[in-house]
Amino acid sequence: MLSVSNLDVRYGQFRAVQGVSMEIAKGDVVSLIGANGAGKSTLLRAIAGALPIHSGRLLFKQQEITNTSSSSRVQQGLSLVPEGRRLFSDMTVEENLLLGSTVKRSGDWNIERIFSTFPNLVKRRHAKTGNLSGGEQQATAIGRALMSNPDFLILDEVSLGLSPLVVNQVYDSMESLKDAGTTILLVEQDLERAMRFSKRTICMLEGRVVLDKLTSDTNKEEITQAYFGLHQSSKQEVS
Ligand SMILES: Nc1ncnc2c1ncn2[C@@H]1O[C@H](COP(=O)(O)OP(=O)(O)O)[C@@H](O)[C@H]1O
Ligand SMILES: [Mg+2]
């Protein structure tokens, strides 16, 4: 469904993403893990069309999207819930959700289904998002992305700043997306939660992919080593 090949994304001369390749098939649920600054958000934003690509290629549903606009990628079914939610704080929940349907694909998502997926939003429907709790804001951000009826959803650190209870609620709602067959690529700092949720785990270190495995074929120790680059440095010492 999504094919990333040899992708480089730069800020000026700085290579934040270097030679990254990955294949994500329809229905895959993939967690992207990595330390702060590893390049996760840069990669996700480049996939969504929010950042230009320096070199490499992106194919989505067999079509080249390397240089297409983010709205045309939304039109094709790819939608990003960005890090930090990026809601319009002086607009209401409903108004923010409606913005998500500016690019509208056919499908089952509409504002009422968002409210039944995130029932805690119902009473906040006409509240400005600046006055919401973190969990309510995150639900609104996910709902906004769902309004375009994506079949490939990208989520960047949805649990950031939320209490454990609220994180559980957000993930419970995401389980229903998984059940509906939505392809999901998400960044999650909580490794155990990521491993519980995802079929596959990809770890980035300093702009590169250092591990890409089915979650059932790896374990916490191996991922942690990749996360800290321990595996790599021990290999270097040997050679
Ligand atoms: N707008 C920017 N301008 C310059 N450097 C940036 C910018 N955004 C991120 N970076 C740098 O790119 C690297 C990767 O950042 P990011 O993709 O945000 O990492 P992560 O999401 O894994 O924490 C970091 O070194 C970060 O400082
Ligand atoms: Mg990030």
Side-chain angles (χ1 to χ4, degrees):
M1 186 169 209
L2 177 75
S3 171
V4 177
S5 36
N6 212 14
L7 204 71
D8 259 51
V9 187
R10 300 188 179 184
Y11 298 108
Q13 300 280 64
F14 178 69
R15 296 172 74 191
V17 168
Q18 309 185 31
V20 164
S21 298
M22 61 182 67
E23 298 288 330
I24 298 178
K26 190 169 163 48
D28 270 356
V29 178
V30 181
S31 282
L32 185 60
I33 304 282
N36 253 338
K40 305 178 300 295
S41 296
T42 302
L43 174 65
L44 297 191
R45 295 181 66 214
I47 292 172
L51 276 178
I53 284 155
H54 181 267
S55 57
R57 282 181 87 192
L58 284 177
L59 298 183
F60 184 59
K61 300 176 181 170
Q62 272 100 50
Q63 291 189 329
E64 175 110 38
I65 58 161
T66 314
N67 297 306
T68 60
S69 67
S70 55
S71 62
S72 82
R73 295 184 206 189
V74 174
Q75 185 68 60
Q76 283 175 275
L78 199 157
S79 195
L80 168 72
V81 181
E83 192 172 15
R85 298 152 201 157
R86 311 249 177 122
L87 296 167
F88 291 93
S89 57
D90 57 350
M91 290 170 66
T92 67
V93 168
E94 183 171 289
E95 287 165 343
N96 271 279
L97 291 175
L98 288 171
L99 281 178
S101 58
T102 319
V103 178
K104 187 84 183 147
R105 292 158 39 82
S106 60
D108 296 335
W109 284 103
N110 55 39
I111 208 148
E112 297 315 323
R113 189 168 164 212
I114 303 290
F115 285 118
S116 60
T117 305
F118 300 103
N120 58 333
L121 284 184
V122 174
K123 62 180 190 306
R124 309 297 267 153
R125 185 170 188 143
H126 301 296
K128 296 198 166 154
T129 58
N131 299 329
L132 303 184
S133 69
E136 291 164 344
Q137 288 183 1
Q138 193 55 269
T140 307
I142 297 172
R144 182 181 55 183
L146 292 172
M147 285 292 282
S148 66
N149 278 296
D151 45 17
F152 192 116
L153 188 62
I154 303 176
L155 304 123
D156 198 351
E157 302 217 24
V158 284
S159 14
L160 201 70
L162 306 185
S163 71
L165 185 74
V166 175
V167 175
N168 283 339
Q169 287 168 0
V170 170
Y171 269 87
D172 283 348
S173 316
M174 286 176 10
E175 286 291 340
S176 65
L177 306 180
K178 226 159 77 170
D179 295 343
T182 309
T183 310
I184 299 176
L185 171 62
L186 78 145
V187 170
E188 172 57 65
Q189 288 296 353
D190 178 342
L191 179 55
E192 285 179 19
R193 183 176 290 281
M195 291 181 74
R196 274 201 305 279
F197 187 72
S198 310
K199 288 202 294 189
R200 202 163 122 212
T201 305
I202 297 179
C203 183
M204 284 181 75
L205 174 74
E206 296 171 1
R208 298 177 189 277
V209 169
V210 288
L211 180 140
D212 181 347
K213 285 193 170 181
L214 288 178
T215 307
S216 55
D217 289 344
T218 184
N219 55 55
K220 213 179 148 185
E221 289 66 37
E222 186 179 42
I223 298 169
T224 307
Q225 287 208 331
Y227 183 104
F228 290 110
L230 297 173
H231 195 54
Q232 273 198 338
S233 59
S234 62
K235 263 199 287 191
Q236 278 164 9
E237 277 163 30
V238 172
S239 61

